[in-house]
Amino acid sequence: MKRLSFLIVVMLIALTASAQYKKVNFAVNRSSGLVSNIRVKGDPYRMNWVQEYRDTLDPMSRAYLWGQAVNMQKHDPQNPVKISNTARRWTTSEDMGEVFTFKNESKVPYDMSNMRIAVPFNCNPDVGSSKHHRCDITVSLNDGNKTYVKAVRQSGKAPHIALIVEKGTIGRYEMLEVEKPNSENNGRYVLTFYPESYILKPGKSYTLQWTIFVYNDEEEFNKELKNHGWKAKK
């Protein structure tokens, strides 16, 4: 009887530990309207997987906030371009979803590959913070039918998170080194996405959507990828 009780307790502890590392939560900065933190419910280290910028009104900082979209196309006064961007975010019982809808409100076609979207995972070599609060990332650009980003806490301790693109296509990505004068955090590295080369006609829209999920080990990561429709190249 004692052995049975012990096994039940062990199973309950295991189930609780597994369950607490499933839910993604996020918060939006009031001044910028962009994502300021992404955390995993139950994470003992309460890591913020998003780079934090204190001065969100600074133009340089705002350009690299999570979800900030910037038109990188050279300005043509004869053919001005106006692309609006509407963002929507939500959480399910486990995952976080984020969708961007770009609409061409100008009179000329626009190539979506000129749009840069910042996705600043907290992966900087900041000596002032613990490895429990930073991550390393691997970007798999269309390795299969979808692009994904695998983020691993630098200490190796679970939970970890990953991002997988559900709608739209990422054409390329860059890791930008951002230096801000008079800052203690010079040398920040920011992941940025550029959509595929898609000609967006006047009045038309383009959607880019991704999901962020939690995983605890390699086996769970691969399982979650497949659950979100990822298929490896043959």
Side-chain angles (χ1 to χ4, degrees):
M1 185 66 181
K2 288 184 178 181
R3 179 175 175 78
L4 178 61
S5 299
F6 174 76
L7 290 174
I8 291 174
V9 170
V10 171
M11 290 176 66
L12 287 173
I13 292 174
L15 288 172
T16 302
S18 176
Q20 69 179 349
Y21 297 152
K22 285 293 186 181
K23 173 71 174 173
V24 179
N25 292 319
F26 73 93
V28 173
N29 182 281
R30 291 184 179 181
S31 63
S32 68
L34 299 168
V35 174
S36 59
N37 72 69
I38 295 175
R39 302 183 194 273
V40 178
K41 183 178 180 180
D43 179 3
Y45 305 105
R46 300 197 73 252
M47 174 176 171
N48 183 3
W49 292 82
V50 177
Q51 285 186 42
E52 297 181 80
Y53 290 92
R54 294 179 181 178
D55 185 5
T56 57
L57 297 179
D58 175 75
M60 177 175 283
S61 294
R62 283 184 61 87
Y64 300 107
L65 294 177
W66 185 287
Q68 181 69 283
V70 179
N71 174 22
M72 302 301 290
Q73 180 174 294
K74 186 177 179 180
H75 177 63
D76 181 357
Q78 301 299 321
N79 297 293
V81 171
K82 181 181 179 182
I83 308 296
S84 63
N85 173 26
T86 303
R88 187 170 65 88
R89 303 173 182 92
W90 65 91
T91 56
T92 65
S93 59
E94 295 184 355
D95 304 335
M96 170 186 170
E98 195 166 20
V99 61
F100 303 91
T101 303
F102 300 93
K103 184 176 181 180
N104 187 350
E105 298 187 10
S106 46
K107 297 181 180 180
V108 294
Y110 177 77
D111 190 337
M112 282 301 301
S113 65
N114 290 306
M115 187 64 68
R116 186 186 72 192
I117 303 113
V119 194
F121 281 88
N122 194 358
C123 56
N124 290 288
D126 184 354
V127 295
S129 63
S130 164
K131 287 188 176 182
H132 294 308
H133 299 97
R134 306 195 304 267
C135 68
D136 293 319
I137 61 173
T138 301
V139 182
S140 177
L141 186 64
N142 303 317
D143 180 17
N145 61 328
K146 296 182 178 183
T147 291
Y148 64 80
V149 181
K150 181 182 182 182
V152 181
R153 194 193 308 263
Q154 287 186 3
S155 66
K157 300 289 186 179
H160 314 286
I161 70 170
L163 178 155
I164 184 167
V165 177
E166 306 275 19
K167 291 183 181 179
T169 301
I170 303 301
R172 64 187 179 96
Y173 71 91
E174 289 182 339
M175 286 295 291
L176 302 179
E177 183 175 4
V178 181
E179 293 187 5
K180 183 179 176 182
N182 303 319
S183 171
E184 297 178 356
N185 294 310
N186 283 342
R188 287 179 177 267
Y189 291 92
V190 177
L191 173 64
T192 58
F193 283 151
Y194 293 81
E196 63 187 316
S197 181
Y198 179 89
I199 304 303
L200 190 61
K201 297 180 180 180
K204 299 298 182 180
S205 298
Y206 181 89
T207 298
L208 185 63
Q209 178 177 328
W210 56 61
T211 297
I212 296 173
F213 62 84
V214 183
Y215 70 96
N216 293 283
D217 52 37
E218 192 69 19
E219 181 180 357
E220 191 172 357
F221 171 73
N222 292 324
K223 180 180 178 180
E224 288 291 337
L225 276 185
K226 294 179 180 178
N227 288 343
H228 287 88
W230 181 83
K231 296 179 181 178
K233 287 183 178 179
K234 294 182 179 180

